[in-house]
Amino acid sequence: MGDDYAAYLEERSARVVRLRSWIAAELGGADAVTLEFGCGHGHFLAGYAAERPEEWCVGLDLRTRRIRLAEAKARKRGLDRTRFVKAEAMEFLDALEGGPRVGRAFMLFPDPWPKKRHRKHRMLQAAFLARLADLAAPGACLHFRTDHAENFAWALEQVAEHPRWTLRPDAPWPHETGTYFQEVTGGRYQSFTAQASK
Ligand SMILES: C[S@@+](CC[C@H](N)C(=O)[O-])C[C@H]1O[C@@H](n2cnc3c(N)ncnc32)[C@H](O)[C@@H]1O
């Protein structure tokens, strides 16, 4: 193992430890949580949570500024059970072990990483799906939406081939606040819902 990789693993595990403390402090009372991976400015999750004040919701994103803007939205709307946190998707899932279950998850307009050699950067991967299924509450669904046709087809294939997920073509889309990127696409996007099993 090279020094750089060892340093990366050490930093990653320190971030997971910090996130675990954050989860204990912020979500201590929650049995289940709704997650949005790559929440951007939090537009969608703030709209979703405003209609469900009883539900614990967490939006996570890599970009600090986007998280600050999302937090301001939650404060302004008095969303007591909604949190936004700067976190990488898999690191957050690792930190969630032993905490609340995932009751529902959204991934909306993720970065498409269109070049084949960059696909490894996509958030939705087989390992991500396996981890999310481990942490899912019974019946939990993942809702995915993108305007990028190839990314959509690829994500659909990952889910269709995954033994722990079942596509649910008839499931209603739970909430329709447009995200920032959804507004930019002018309505050309595709969605799917999949349900986790143990
Ligand atoms: C194209 S933007 C979409 C934002 C928002 N969902 C929307 O539709 O407006 C994708 C977002 O995913 C975040 N992101 C990318 N990779 C991520 C990862 N591995 N973990 C968490 N967030 C990630 C990016 O920082 C960015 O804000």
Side-chain angles (χ1 to χ4, degrees), residues 36-44 60-63 66 87-90 107-113 121-123 178-182:
E36 187 185 354
F37 297 98
C39 64
H41 300 176
H43 197 70
F44 173 83
L60 50 112
D61 200 285
L62 291 173
R63 305 280 191 94
R66 292 178 184 178
E88 197 282 324
M90 277 298 273
M107 191 180 287
L108 309 174
F109 301 88
D111 295 323
W113 294 104
H121 298 304
R122 288 177 173 171
M123 270 192 287
T179 72
Y180 174 80
F181 276 82
Q182 182 164 319

Side-chain angles (χ1 to χ4, degrees), residues 175-195:
H175 178 78
E176 273 302 352
T177 301
T179 72
Y180 174 80
F181 276 82
Q182 182 164 319
E183 300 306 321
V184 173
T185 66
R188 291 181 312 278
Y189 51 77
Q190 292 173 280
S191 317
F192 67 73
T193 291
Q195 192 169 31

Side-chain angles (χ1 to χ4, degrees), residues 45-179:
L45 196 64
Y48 173 91
E51 290 181 358
R52 295 163 182 80
E54 76 295 346
E55 207 165 301
W56 287 90
C57 296
V58 176
L60 50 112
D61 200 285
L62 291 173
R63 305 280 191 94
T64 307
R65 185 170 168 278
R66 292 178 184 178
I67 290 301
R68 296 285 165 263
L69 290 169
E71 283 174 332
K73 280 193 187 72
R75 265 197 309 277
K76 200 168 157 190
R77 297 193 189 180
L79 302 175
D80 296 340
R81 293 189 166 193
T82 298
R83 303 286 184 274
F84 290 96
V85 64
K86 179 178 172 172
E88 197 282 324
M90 277 298 273
E91 292 180 10
F92 189 85
L93 291 183
D94 286 352
L96 202 58
E97 182 77 54
R101 300 294 82 185
V102 181
R104 191 189 282 288
F106 292 95
M107 191 180 287
L108 309 174
F109 301 88
D111 295 323
W113 294 104
K115 290 186 181 155
K116 203 168 176 179
R117 69 178 186 280
H118 290 156
R119 280 184 191 163
K120 58 181 181 286
H121 298 304
R122 288 177 173 171
M123 270 192 287
L124 192 149
Q125 304 279 347
F128 169 88
L129 290 171
R131 199 84 187 95
L132 189 56
D134 286 341
L135 297 166
C141 283
L142 167 67
H143 308 279
F144 181 94
R145 178 170 280 180
T146 181
D147 60 322
H148 192 278
E150 187 279 322
N151 188 16
F152 180 79
W154 187 86
L156 193 63
E157 193 181 317
Q158 304 308 303
V159 171
E161 286 178 355
H162 203 286
R164 310 272 308 273
W165 291 88
T166 306
L167 288 164
R168 293 279 180 236
D170 298 329
W173 195 255
H175 178 78
E176 273 302 352
T177 301
T179 72

